[in-house]
Amino acid sequence: MTVEQTPDATRGDRFMLHTARRLLTAPALAVVIGAGLLVAPQAAAAAGVAATVDVRGTLRIRTAPSLAAPIVGAVHDEQRVTVECATRGTEVRGSQRTTDVWDRLGAGRYISHAYVRPLGTIPSCAAVRAQAQPVKVRPAAVKTAAVKYTVGRIRSSDGRVNVRAGVSLTSPVRATLANGARVNLVCGVVGARVKGTVRTTTQWDRLSNGRYVSHAYVVTPTLRLCPGAPRPVQTPALTPEQFIARSVAGAQRGWREYGVPPSVTIAQAILESGWGRSDLSVADRNFFGIKCFNGKHGPLANGCHTYKTQECTKAGKCFVTTASFRTYASQANSYRDHGYFLRVNSRYKPAFKYTRSANKFIWTVWKAGYATDPNYYTKITGIMARWGLYRYDTWK
């Protein structure tokens, strides 16, 4: 699950504690939904339901009920909004509750219900649409329309494919599908980017039972978009210059917060993610391969993703195992977590004598055992020099 808000750097830790105290348990969440969300609309709901935003900072407005959808605005703490209806989407952990419900403020404008205090019953978006199209036939003549779907097949060389409650890698897993399994697909929506066996895409396919599977593992004829969903993004590989430009802000914030020179952070991201083309960076925005430990992902990641991986003994015998890696809401958070990871691990403490000397810093980190590659220091400093990364060191 993910916290959907603009971070407040001065109150981040207090917010996490505040949120943890206010999370709803599963039974309580069910009561909330039953008490006012996704129900048939009442006459008074036609003009919308007034609500108040409860967020530390600002809450993003998106074009669809997904954390991957484009941002089109924001609302601030205690701002009054009018909610037209509620629908399902990415699960979010917020100040009021943990939920996959999103509130529609208007066409193409959604905010997570995790941060909203409604002043009345919010109708279901599906119910609102149905009410807006009255049937002009006798009740006896009304027939239930069959759900139309497209048949697809799962293709996976990564093992069983997860079927989730939402379009995020942190949404609850409801089932798994084996390679070759048949799936009945209704339409496609935008969600978290996934690199799979078939393709890399932000498209998720809605099954006939209302659950979702990543299109990255599905072979299917042309599938229509779900009504109101933005078109999935197929992002081309960035040029080196574009990758560096996107790295600067997160790397410099990491230095301000934890003391890792920005030039070091950017160079390590380039080397360890292959200019942002690695599976971890594409699917999970993890640019440094930082793992989850005992199921814990730390304060800056938003979840864990388990992969099959190959490891080898010193004798050269290799075997397949699994490893759990951290997932992030943004590239900047991955860069910040890199700084946090080095700062809190005691073995790297000597390096922080050189927070204003990039070469000495990475030399000390490497000697402390960060990488076993005997040429790691040379590779990192070579990248820093070739691409002029020293110019991003904030203290200069």
Side-chain angles (χ1 to χ4, degrees):
M1 62 188 70
T2 303
V3 176
E4 168 65 347
Q5 66 163 11
T6 300
D8 185 335
T10 63
R11 296 191 290 179
D13 292 339
R14 284 180 292 166
F15 171 70
M16 293 301 293
L17 292 173
H18 170 76
T19 302
R21 287 194 298 267
R22 299 177 67 175
L23 290 181
L24 297 177
T25 61
L29 182 59
V31 171
V32 171
I33 292 178
L37 295 179
L38 301 178
V39 297
Q42 301 172 356
V49 177
T52 303
V53 174
D54 180 6
V55 64
R56 302 284 182 171
T58 57
L59 179 62
R60 301 178 181 97
I61 301 174
R62 296 183 182 271
T63 59
S66 166
L67 294 174
I71 299 168
V72 293
V75 289
H76 56 75
D77 188 35
E78 295 301 321
Q79 181 173 336
R80 282 293 187 93
V81 295
T82 300
V83 178
E84 290 185 350
C85 56
T87 188
R88 301 284 186 182
T90 305
E91 185 173 88
V92 175
R93 182 183 66 190
S95 58
Q96 289 292 308
R97 61 189 64 82
T98 297
T99 182
D100 63 354
V101 175
W102 287 65
D103 296 337
R104 190 174 79 188
L105 306 182
R109 299 175 69 245
Y110 295 83
I111 58 175
S112 170
H113 191 68
Y115 296 94
V116 175
R117 300 196 306 267
L119 301 181
T121 299
I122 300 177
S124 163
C125 290
V128 169
R129 287 194 295 271
Q131 186 188 50
Q133 299 176 356
V135 178
K136 298 181 179 180
V137 296
R138 294 179 180 179
V142 176
K143 296 182 179 180
T144 302
V147 176
K148 296 181 180 179
Y149 57 79
T150 301
V151 176
R153 293 281 179 181
I154 297 296
R155 181 183 295 171
S156 172
S157 59
D158 301 325
R160 297 183 70 87
V161 176
N162 290 327
V163 177
R164 296 184 180 272
V167 292
S168 167
L169 294 173
T170 58
S171 295
V173 176
R174 300 307 189 196
T176 60
L177 297 169
N179 182 46
R182 168 177 163 157
V183 285
N184 296 331
L185 310 172
V186 177
C187 55
V189 298
V190 172
R193 184 181 178 89
V194 176
K195 183 175 183 180
T197 302
V198 180
R199 61 184 67 81
T200 298
T201 181
T202 59
Q203 179 174 327
W204 287 66
D205 298 338
R206 182 183 296 166
L207 305 180
S208 56
N209 61 7
R211 296 171 181 173
Y212 297 88
V213 63
S214 172
H215 193 61
Y217 292 99
V218 179
V219 177
T220 178
T222 301
L223 188 66
R224 68 185 180 90
L225 287 176
C226 296
R231 191 166 297 278
V233 177
Q234 305 291 345
T235 306
L238 299 176
T239 66
E241 292 79 10
Q242 289 172 329
F243 183 85
I244 291 170
R246 293 192 180 188
S247 300
V248 174
Q252 289 182 336
R253 183 172 177 181
W255 180 79
R256 292 193 301 270
E257 293 177 333
Y258 305 110
V260 179
S263 57
V264 171
T265 300
I266 298 172
Q268 288 187 283
I270 290 170
L271 181 63
E272 295 176 26
S273 74
W275 293 97
R277 298 184 180 95
S278 70
D279 290 351
L280 286 176
S281 58
V282 170
D284 303 319
R285 300 185 182 92
N286 186 332
F287 291 82
F288 303 93
I290 300 178
K291 294 182 178 180
C292 290
F293 299 99
N294 298 321
K296 298 179 179 179
H297 52 67
L300 294 170
N302 63 4
C304 302
H305 190 177
T306 300
Y307 288 89
K308 286 186 176 179
T309 184
Q310 188 178 64
E311 295 187 5
C312 301
T313 65
K314 292 182 179 180
K317 183 178 180 180
C318 297
F319 56 94
V320 175
T321 184
T322 59
S324 183
F325 294 88
R326 299 181 185 184
T327 65
Y328 299 91
S330 67
Q331 182 173 347
N333 277 357
S334 176
Y335 283 34
R336 293 171 61 208
D337 201 27
H338 168 259
Y340 174 80
F341 175 82
L342 294 177
R343 173 63 80 174
V344 300
N345 281 275
S346 58
R347 66 157 62 178
Y348 304 120
K349 184 176 180 180
F352 288 90
K353 297 177 183 177
Y354 309 110
T355 58
R356 293 176 181 264
S357 178
N359 283 18
K360 289 182 179 179
F361 184 93
I362 189 58
W363 169 266
T364 309
V365 166
W366 172 61
K367 293 297 287 183
Y370 184 88
T372 57
D373 182 353
N375 298 315
Y376 188 81
Y377 170 77
T378 303
K379 290 177 180 178
I380 293 296
T381 53
I383 292 172
M384 291 156 68
R386 178 181 177 185
W387 295 99
L389 303 184
Y390 296 106
R391 68 183 184 272
Y392 300 116
D393 289 338
T394 311
W395 64 86
K396 293 185 177 180

